[in-house]
Amino acid sequence: MSSRSHKRAVTPSDGSGLSKENMDHERIEHVGIRDSPPSFAGSDEDLTDHYTRYPNRWSKYREYIREPAAEFFGVMILIIFGAGVDCQVVLSADPRVASSPKGDYLSLNFGWAVGTALGVWVSGGISGGHINPAVTIALATFRDFPWRKVPAYIFAQVMGGLCGAGIIYANYIHAIDLVEGGRHIRTVPGTAGLFSTYAMDYMTSVSCFFDEFVGTAVLLIVVCAIGDARNGPPPPGLAPLVLFIMILGIGASLGMQTGYAINPARDLGPRLLTSMVGYGSDVFTFRNQYWLWCPVIAPIIGALFGVFVYDTLFFTGAESLLNRP
Amino acid sequence: MSSRSHKRAVTPSDGSGLSKENMDHERIEHVGIRDSPPSFAGSDEDLTDHYTRYPNRWSKYREYIREPAAEFFGVMILIIFGAGVDCQVVLSADPRVASSPKGDYLSLNFGWAVGTALGVWVSGGISGGHINPAVTIALATFRDFPWRKVPAYIFAQVMGGLCGAGIIYANYIHAIDLVEGGRHIRTVPGTAGLFSTYAMDYMTSVSCFFDEFVGTAVLLIVVCAIGDARNGPPPPGLAPLVLFIMILGIGASLGMQTGYAINPARDLGPRLLTSMVGYGSDVFTFRNQYWLWCPVIAPIIGALFGVFVYDTLFFTGAESLLNRP
Amino acid sequence: MSSRSHKRAVTPSDGSGLSKENMDHERIEHVGIRDSPPSFAGSDEDLTDHYTRYPNRWSKYREYIREPAAEFFGVMILIIFGAGVDCQVVLSADPRVASSPKGDYLSLNFGWAVGTALGVWVSGGISGGHINPAVTIALATFRDFPWRKVPAYIFAQVMGGLCGAGIIYANYIHAIDLVEGGRHIRTVPGTAGLFSTYAMDYMTSVSCFFDEFVGTAVLLIVVCAIGDARNGPPPPGLAPLVLFIMILGIGASLGMQTGYAINPARDLGPRLLTSMVGYGSDVFTFRNQYWLWCPVIAPIIGALFGVFVYDTLFFTGAESLLNRP
Amino acid sequence: MSSRSHKRAVTPSDGSGLSKENMDHERIEHVGIRDSPPSFAGSDEDLTDHYTRYPNRWSKYREYIREPAAEFFGVMILIIFGAGVDCQVVLSADPRVASSPKGDYLSLNFGWAVGTALGVWVSGGISGGHINPAVTIALATFRDFPWRKVPAYIFAQVMGGLCGAGIIYANYIHAIDLVEGGRHIRTVPGTAGLFSTYAMDYMTSVSCFFDEFVGTAVLLIVVCAIGDARNGPPPPGLAPLVLFIMILGIGASLGMQTGYAINPARDLGPRLLTSMVGYGSDVFTFRNQYWLWCPVIAPIIGALFGVFVYDTLFFTGAESLLNRP
């Protein structure tokens, strides 16, 4: 057992992939977001001496809600940092709010990168740290993430986005009032653009779709790579650091035209919040159904394309649809 | 022994949690700040051949002061970088001091992030690297950090903040004189805001409290996550890197309205220093007792809330109050 | 076997260097880009229980194209981020495109650093993650990277640069039209400088050559160092993080005069794209054959010099030409 | 042997501290710059099957020059990035050189941080990666770094600084000519400030000394901490990442008043270069012997103080002077 649990420890993708439960670990391991090395799974029995699975009644119920709860908090933290930096940088640029701007465009890129990294660090070991419906759908389609979990994941992700946006809206409401010119004035895009994405004026619909498609495809190709135990992945627990670097870059390189949603929950959750707190239905009627085809459908298709490309050309793991006999 | 000490090495949370002394290691391990892997504790006996615990008399006394001294230096380094970057960026923006500004708002975010990371790297393996009374109190409340250590920790943290602010005040005193317009002129907030936090004018008291509450709650949720051996934590020794990323983000996203104290010692220590060096009692009378309820009480309540949420929903370790039978 | 595969795990450069196939792993290991620890190679047989090398017919063909495909995608991702950040920052500075600039010069440095790191994370474990013909040629000359692979690598790298630039050109074409003043107007350097490098006016040819030479020599010295198992390399999987830091610095320190190509594929691929989409032959006639001697020949010579210096003074590995009897 | 080499691997400071040669490894290990885990030293015999210590005659000579050569290249790379970013940012701010500035003050902080990290990654495993005479002297005084090596180290460090500055001077000479207004005009500080440090006008001599003293003391306290195997150090090979974070912070927080030399070789080497290429003796007569007491003596005293404080309060390793019976 000792030498075995040891081999687990040094070989992230060892033979522990037989039972469904372990396949799950394998799967998450391979998408590189599940960061806890299999040794933990492997050494649970070693822990039981000072650790009982269900110390009290609540801990039993907890088992059922942990995964969606992790996705909820992951996206909530993403939005607290992301929408937060949008509000701080954009609102502070208004002299009625602050004497000097409290950040610049690069701050926006860092804020979203921090939110993504921390969101995954909070949820990675529990739910796999998707915090993005496009990732969840792509992994369910091409890898062995179970479809039965998809609805709960996506619902939790969107709700997390909605609640995170609510926290930031409550936090910066006085500054928003100052910028909008009054408590009852809310304009779209205007300050609605602090929470969800709106394309620049010169952009055509095709360009908007293409921008989100490219960003999400690149996102998933890299996510697959850093989760591929045969492609020199980062050490366990540091996948979020790679995501930090990647989101920083996507914001700096592919950020200005459509606001790099590349995540339906990151956009739809906050958009629902804005529609609820006074921005009205305009957030959904902007550029007929922009909210649907640009920040929701384009990322999902881009994610599917990214995983398809990676699995076709590079991935050799058995859990990929494309590596089935 | 070999295979055992080896299992220690690959399994951060192995069965070494029985004796109180080891529980401590476990505990700190679980809050993710104690970075030295248990293997060190486990292999002390391997070291004794070239290492005696008490080579001389002083080393005996040292045992008693190491932990509070680590907290003292941790906070001192935090403030040297944090108050230092405040002084450099804000003072250099004045043409009487420098021909061009020596940093921008993003520099402030980086400076505080660096201070936090280095403060924890200096103290992490010795005291657990709290460097924040809110963290200490939350861990004593919900985890098994011993209450008897709390007073010494908090005192050391506040004194570290006071001394760090003193070093920076001495370092930038000529520039402060230039900006204030004379050696005997000190204004509040004015340059007092370089050392401790003061809210923006448009902020209501409720908003101030909420801002600090949210920031500290997020801080603790992430701290709990990166310290949870079952939630894909970063490798031993890299928790401060996650804190670097987080404080960078908190400053960029939740920084402008109340100056993101999120740490009573970070704010109270420097505030005491300013009251001593000529800013007078105004630093305490600002917005009646602002110093107490906003940067002291709000972070403590936010920290308690953050750990409560994490332990309720995610944490399965036996050292949490919520996982007791 | 267990203790052996274990020693593999803890000793990156263990005795696995006898068969040619393993020498390859050694080689890539030593250039510090191949990030997957030899344990994977060593434990393939452990995996076979749930993993068959060729699950289906396609997986057989895949074997032959994986390495060049990895180089192709590595450079494509590098250019998507690099040319992308050039377009976003430079085009958004034009009021006809955006109301405020969407990034500054430091954003450019970060964008190229992100592209390099992610490009290597995607290709590192498969092709060695050169994503730079100068690196490929230098390793084939002084290390034991097989010359027979060089043509396919370089072709794939240049094509990856061309395709990446095409994606970014398509993504920002409307903004380019706005800046150029019309759909059929394309100027060199003008917006051609967003994709490939052009020297500043005051630079002499010698200075241009020297700038690229120095940058690439430093690049290769560091690449050799972080790949040298006897020179305290970063943990497996984190070499791209060092590259991120290095490219950030090269852009900030050696970036302005010649645009730090330091990579023939990064410059020639996008230059071919610009010549195809309407910028015409001017991209090649600029400063007679600038495209050839500055961003192509200088980096190759600099890379050869860098590896020569490192291997002469520091490297003790048997795979270096200079350590042959 | 296997289990032993294994214990080496998982226990950075194992019992290998008896022979002088290993004490060296221990020593360097403990100052946290030597990044190669002792396992390499320990497993040399495992390597001999495909590796002979002296494959040819040159490799014998190499043994004698490797350590100073590593220090030389470490400092040279530090200055190439550091002086390079100074030149790029400051010179490009002049409209005669560039149409827009190619970086801001934060870029300067990143450039010096990158140079430090890469300088240590290049030299860390060979010479211990001091790249700073103050570090060398402090370790020789309080730890067991042999005094006999000190002169060669310091000479190599200063020469590395001189050569690095020469490379950057040659690289940016045309831009310097444009800013100075002619090929034969060189002013002090003027463009001499691009290579070595000069204090701001309002600074008193005491303040200058204090600024450098504080910066270097903090530097060494953190260096000691990340090298202390009992204080939760970063993983082997990542100490330069901590230095990257620290130098970024020192530049942002303690950078503007004296230019944060905190390293005699970083300042004296380039200063010698400037005195040789036309700036004349003014670089030494500025503020009578400023070059000596501020960027040379203050850092050395600060470094001694920093190590003294850390070893007194925290360090328990046997290689410290303060832990001798």
PDB file of all heavy atoms in Angstrom, chain B residues 38-50:
ATOM      1  N   PRO B  38       4.859  18.916   6.398  1.00  0.00           N
ATOM      2  CA  PRO B  38       5.033  18.141   7.623  1.00  0.00           C
ATOM      3  C   PRO B  38       6.301  17.302   7.624  1.00  0.00           C
ATOM      4  O   PRO B  38       6.826  16.942   8.646  1.00  0.00           O
ATOM      5  CB  PRO B  38       3.788  17.245   7.641  1.00  0.00           C
ATOM      6  CG  PRO B  38       2.770  18.023   6.879  1.00  0.00           C
ATOM      7  CD  PRO B  38       3.535  18.764   5.823  1.00  0.00           C
ATOM      8  N   SER B  39       6.822  17.007   6.450  1.00  0.00           N
ATOM      9  CA  SER B  39       8.019  16.168   6.394  1.00  0.00           C
ATOM     10  C   SER B  39       9.109  16.778   7.281  1.00  0.00           C
ATOM     11  O   SER B  39       9.881  16.072   7.901  1.00  0.00           O
ATOM     12  CB  SER B  39       8.523  16.067   4.956  1.00  0.00           C
ATOM     13  OG  SER B  39       8.868  17.358   4.487  1.00  0.00           O
ATOM     14  N   PHE B  40       9.175  18.104   7.339  1.00  0.00           N
ATOM     15  CA  PHE B  40      10.207  18.710   8.187  1.00  0.00           C
ATOM     16  C   PHE B  40       9.984  18.318   9.638  1.00  0.00           C
ATOM     17  O   PHE B  40      10.845  17.790  10.320  1.00  0.00           O
ATOM     18  CB  PHE B  40      10.197  20.223   8.043  1.00  0.00           C
ATOM     19  CG  PHE B  40      10.576  20.656   6.669  1.00  0.00           C
ATOM     20  CD1 PHE B  40       9.966  21.737   6.066  1.00  0.00           C
ATOM     21  CD2 PHE B  40      11.531  19.947   5.948  1.00  0.00           C
ATOM     22  CE1 PHE B  40      10.319  22.121   4.790  1.00  0.00           C
ATOM     23  CE2 PHE B  40      11.878  20.323   4.678  1.00  0.00           C
ATOM     24  CZ  PHE B  40      11.267  21.409   4.092  1.00  0.00           C
ATOM     25  N   ALA B  41       8.744  18.538  10.094  1.00  0.00           N
ATOM     26  CA  ALA B  41       8.436  18.102  11.458  1.00  0.00           C
ATOM     27  C   ALA B  41       8.774  16.612  11.579  1.00  0.00           C
ATOM     28  O   ALA B  41       9.407  16.167  12.516  1.00  0.00           O
ATOM     29  CB  ALA B  41       6.960  18.311  11.748  1.00  0.00           C
ATOM     30  N   GLY B  42       8.385  15.869  10.579  1.00  0.00           N
ATOM     31  CA  GLY B  42       8.555  14.426  10.665  1.00  0.00           C
ATOM     32  C   GLY B  42      10.012  14.010  10.672  1.00  0.00           C
ATOM     33  O   GLY B  42      10.360  12.972  11.219  1.00  0.00           O
ATOM     34  N   SER B  43      10.872  14.805  10.061  1.00  0.00           N
ATOM     35  CA  SER B  43      12.246  14.323   9.915  1.00  0.00           C
ATOM     36  C   SER B  43      13.198  15.056  10.853  1.00  0.00           C
ATOM     37  O   SER B  43      14.390  15.073  10.639  1.00  0.00           O
ATOM     38  CB  SER B  43      12.695  14.536   8.465  1.00  0.00           C
ATOM     39  OG  SER B  43      12.523  15.910   8.147  1.00  0.00           O
ATOM     40  N   ASP B  44      12.638  15.716  11.887  1.00  0.00           N
ATOM     41  CA  ASP B  44      13.531  16.394  12.817  1.00  0.00           C
ATOM     42  C   ASP B  44      14.572  15.427  13.368  1.00  0.00           C
ATOM     43  O   ASP B  44      15.744  15.739  13.441  1.00  0.00           O
ATOM     44  CB  ASP B  44      12.733  17.004  13.990  1.00  0.00           C
ATOM     45  CG  ASP B  44      12.277  18.421  13.626  1.00  0.00           C
ATOM     46  OD1 ASP B  44      12.718  18.906  12.563  1.00  0.00           O
ATOM     47  OD2 ASP B  44      11.476  18.991  14.365  1.00  0.00           O
ATOM     48  N   GLU B  45      14.109  14.236  13.691  1.00  0.00           N
ATOM     49  CA  GLU B  45      15.082  13.297  14.271  1.00  0.00           C
ATOM     50  C   GLU B  45      16.192  13.004  13.260  1.00  0.00           C
ATOM     51  O   GLU B  45      17.342  12.820  13.612  1.00  0.00           O
ATOM     52  CB  GLU B  45      14.381  11.989  14.692  1.00  0.00           C
ATOM     53  CG  GLU B  45      13.651  11.266  13.559  1.00  0.00           C
ATOM     54  CD  GLU B  45      12.242  11.799  13.390  1.00  0.00           C
ATOM     55  OE1 GLU B  45      11.978  12.931  13.858  1.00  0.00           O
ATOM     56  OE2 GLU B  45      11.409  11.090  12.819  1.00  0.00           O
ATOM     57  N   ASP B  46      15.861  13.039  11.986  1.00  0.00           N
ATOM     58  CA  ASP B  46      16.919  12.805  10.994  1.00  0.00           C
ATOM     59  C   ASP B  46      17.949  13.925  11.064  1.00  0.00           C
ATOM     60  O   ASP B  46      19.086  13.781  10.664  1.00  0.00           O
ATOM     61  CB  ASP B  46      16.331  12.766   9.573  1.00  0.00           C
ATOM     62  CG  ASP B  46      15.133  11.835   9.508  1.00  0.00           C
ATOM     63  OD1 ASP B  46      15.086  10.916  10.358  1.00  0.00           O
ATOM     64  OD2 ASP B  46      14.269  12.048   8.657  1.00  0.00           O
ATOM     65  N   LEU B  47      17.556  15.078  11.564  1.00  0.00           N
ATOM     66  CA  LEU B  47      18.454  16.231  11.519  1.00  0.00           C
ATOM     67  C   LEU B  47      19.382  16.277  12.724  1.00  0.00           C
ATOM     68  O   LEU B  47      20.445  16.861  12.687  1.00  0.00           O
ATOM     69  CB  LEU B  47      17.630  17.527  11.499  1.00  0.00           C
ATOM     70  CG  LEU B  47      16.673  17.663  10.313  1.00  0.00           C
ATOM     71  CD1 LEU B  47      15.761  18.866  10.522  1.00  0.00           C
ATOM     72  CD2 LEU B  47      17.465  17.839   9.017  1.00  0.00           C
ATOM     73  N   THR B  48      18.959  15.616  13.787  1.00  0.00           N
ATOM     74  CA  THR B  48      19.680  15.844  15.058  1.00  0.00           C
ATOM     75  C   THR B  48      21.160  15.512  14.946  1.00  0.00           C
ATOM     76  O   THR B  48      21.953  16.015  15.715  1.00  0.00           O
ATOM     77  CB  THR B  48      19.058  15.017  16.204  1.00  0.00           C
ATOM     78  OG1 THR B  48      18.699  13.748  15.660  1.00  0.00           O
ATOM     79  CG2 THR B  48      17.833  15.708  16.792  1.00  0.00           C
ATOM     80  N   ASP B  49      21.539  14.698  13.964  1.00  0.00           N
ATOM     81  CA  ASP B  49      22.966  14.334  13.931  1.00  0.00           C
ATOM     82  C   ASP B  49      23.830  15.575  13.727  1.00  0.00           C
ATOM     83  O   ASP B  49      24.926  15.658  14.229  1.00  0.00           O
ATOM     84  CB  ASP B  49      23.225  13.268  12.838  1.00  0.00           C
ATOM     85  CG  ASP B  49      22.669  13.723  11.494  1.00  0.00           C
ATOM     86  OD1 ASP B  49      22.081  14.829  11.448  1.00  0.00           O
ATOM     87  OD2 ASP B  49      22.792  12.970  10.537  1.00  0.00           O
ATOM     88  N   HIS B  50      23.370  16.574  12.982  1.00  0.00           N
ATOM     89  CA  HIS B  50      24.228  17.760  12.826  1.00  0.00           C
ATOM     90  C   HIS B  50      23.522  18.987  13.389  1.00  0.00           C
ATOM     91  O   HIS B  50      23.782  20.090  13.029  1.00  0.00           O
ATOM     92  CB  HIS B  50      24.575  17.984  11.348  1.00  0.00           C
ATOM     93  CG  HIS B  50      23.524  18.730  10.591  1.00  0.00           C
ATOM     94  ND1 HIS B  50      22.247  18.258  10.464  1.00  0.00           N
ATOM     95  CD2 HIS B  50      23.546  19.920   9.945  1.00  0.00           C
ATOM     96  CE1 HIS B  50      21.525  19.109   9.752  1.00  0.00           C
ATOM     97  NE2 HIS B  50      22.279  20.127   9.440  1.00  0.00           N
TER      98      HIS B  50
END
